[in-house]
Amino acid sequence: MTPADRLLWRAVGSAGWWTPVLLVATVAGAAAELALPAALGRAVDAAVGATAGESAGRWLAAVGALVVLLVGAGVVRDYGTGAASARSVAGLRHTLVRHILALDPRTAARHPVGDLVGRLVGQVADAGQAAPTLVLAGTVLLPPVGSLVALTMIDPWLGATFVVGLVLLGVLLRGFVADASAAVAGYQRAQGHLAGLMVEALAGARTIAAAGTAGREVERVLTPVPELRRHGTRTWTVLAGAATRGAVLSPMLQLAVVTVGGLSLAAGRLTPGDLLAALQYAALGAGLGTVVSALNKAVRVRAGCRRAAEVLTEPARRYGDRTLPPGPGCLELRRVSVRADDGRPLLDGVDLRVPGGALLAVVGPSGAGKSLLAAVAGRLRDPDAGEVRLDGTPLPDLSAAALHAAVGYGFERPVLVGETVGAAVGCGADPVPAARAAAIHDFVERLPDRYGTPLAEVAMSGGERQRLGLARALRAERLLILDDATSSLDTVTEYRVNRALTDRADRRTRVVVSHRVGTAARADLVAWVAAGRIRAVGPHAVLWDDPDYRAVFRS
């Protein structure tokens, strides 16, 4: 079973008990639809006296009951389709969001944000139609097959005529599914490409406005539009072609049934009621619209499942089940190597040991691998070779809860998450101590609801946002990693924050990526990174004797 098939069945399962309800309602509606022409025919024959001993009133009552059943089944089917789809879409979106957020950042980066959003919003909505579409596909042949049986029972010549029409319908529909599948898949790919380019442009809107390149950006973002139009035109062309062929064949089939039925009526093999029923069965069985609609929905569901499954097949980051033993927070990198997608070494055989409770400054020229080393140190990225240990425990062996409680990250441009300011600082515990250490508590106290203020309603400068992100990082219990996390702060605030970070009373291990000589001077150790390697590790005062080290700060 392919990943798309597994996702389709998961969507059907997410619909819950609505799937059997839809099946029962659809089958009941089809049965009533097939019984109605026969009941009407009997009522006509009873009314004109073509059948002896038959009561027209009884058959009219049967007709009324079948109409009520048809209406009721239609109501249940329409409501159930919406309810089943809503449940399936919600379940699939929860699954996809959880998986995307569990991916390794390097893996997630291979998919543009706009493309992921397109899959989550558009393709999952298509895949969520799996349960009603499966029911429709499983019952779509009931009317034509039932009509064939009924016509054959009325008159074998009518059945034979109808079989010829069904064969022609099959020939006309040949290739529809393949053509529609290719067109829909291409349309969805182009749609995802367009969404990715649009998100990129929106993220850089200020830069585009400042550079005056809006015109070129519009052309770049709309690059996929011709492809989108081509696949969209192909989709509608395929649908229109099938509908046109059906519109031509359906009346021809009904005309053939009328002709054969008229001859049979003249020969005395049919009653007027039989002919009326035969005409209705011909119209019911030859209706191509339901078949084309079912096939089109099946194509879209299948394409949506395939697009969503492509993301779900990406391996999620795995965690162990261990907790950290008691320890001071000793961090070790052993022969750690990281390579780019094209094979270039980004970190090459890095060995580094940071004693528990020490403050390590990571310095080096731009592009040396400082941020990558910081990412590997707290398992934001797993190395391609080597291992990282915290108090002797390999980081992949830790449970997610243990890792996230022990390690905290502060970034240059943090993304704040949570409904309120307090939630952005930390979940559950008192946010005030961390906010004070990050010099953001006074700012929060001036907000209308303080830490309960909705995050979306707070206007913040870059420095205030950075301090809130830093406050969240300061909740770490054993290892704090800061990647240029104070770059947007003014001098006075940076001094207050650095005092908190370099406080000797802080027993956590701290790894600070910085370009500033003052930070290196206050650190216990400095790791000097160059071209993906550790060139030297030692106190700043010792390394300062090397002119190449001094040149790092001059640059």
Side-chain angles (χ1 to χ4, degrees), residues 198-348:
M198 188 64 195
V199 169
E200 290 177 8
L202 290 175
R206 288 197 306 173
T207 303
I208 293 170
T213 58
R216 289 200 298 272
E217 280 301 306
V218 169
E219 293 179 3
R220 186 181 73 88
V221 169
L222 297 182
T223 300
V225 168
E227 182 184 4
L228 199 68
R229 180 175 57 196
R230 184 172 68 254
H231 290 300
T233 301
R234 178 59 180 161
T235 300
W236 290 112
T237 300
V238 171
L239 286 172
T244 301
R245 290 190 290 269
V248 172
L249 182 60
S250 181
M252 291 178 62
L253 179 56
Q254 293 180 58
L255 181 61
V257 170
V258 168
T259 302
V260 174
L263 294 174
S264 297
L265 179 63
R269 293 194 302 269
L270 296 183
T271 65
D274 290 336
L275 182 58
L276 174 63
L279 293 177
Q280 291 180 318
Y281 281 125
L284 178 62
L288 190 62
T290 303
V291 177
V292 172
S293 175
L295 290 176
N296 184 47
K297 287 182 179 179
V299 165
R300 295 191 66 85
V301 167
R302 181 77 173 138
C305 288
R306 189 181 298 112
R307 291 272 294 167
E310 286 175 0
V311 179
L312 293 177
T313 55
E314 297 280 8
R317 173 178 294 175
R318 297 187 179 277
Y319 294 91
D321 55 6
R322 296 178 61 180
T323 58
L324 283 171
C330 178
L331 175 66
E332 295 178 88
L333 278 68
R334 301 180 177 181
R335 305 301 299 167
V336 166
S337 294
V338 177
R339 297 189 176 277
D341 292 336
D342 60 4
R344 290 180 298 107
L346 303 177
L347 289 179
D348 191 8

Side-chain angles (χ1 to χ4, degrees), residues 33-54:
E33 198 172 27
L34 288 170
L36 187 58
L40 281 171
R42 290 298 185 92
V44 169
D45 285 343
V48 300
T51 53
E54 292 282 359

Side-chain angles (χ1 to χ4, degrees), residues 449-517:
D449 295 318
R450 298 180 174 82
Y451 288 92
T453 304
L455 195 60
E457 298 178 6
V458 181
M460 286 179 283
S461 66
E464 289 159 350
R465 180 175 293 273
Q466 193 171 62
R467 280 182 281 160
L468 269 181
L470 182 60
R472 188 178 186 93
L474 291 173
R475 307 301 299 276
E477 297 173 355
R478 204 170 297 198
L479 174 62
L480 179 62
I481 302 173
L482 305 179
D483 187 358
D484 248 355
T486 60
S487 59
S488 296
L489 306 185
D490 59 78
T491 304
V492 174
T493 304
E494 183 182 16
Y495 174 74
R496 291 173 57 194
V497 171
N498 282 333
R499 280 186 57 189
L501 294 177
T502 58
D503 189 348
R504 297 295 176 181
D506 193 336
R507 306 301 296 272
R508 293 173 298 186
T509 303
R510 289 145 294 165
V511 176
V512 181
V513 176
S514 180
H515 301 277
R516 306 197 181 192
V517 66

Side-chain angles (χ1 to χ4, degrees), residues 193 397 438 535:
H193 186 198
D397 291 351
R535 180 162 175 177

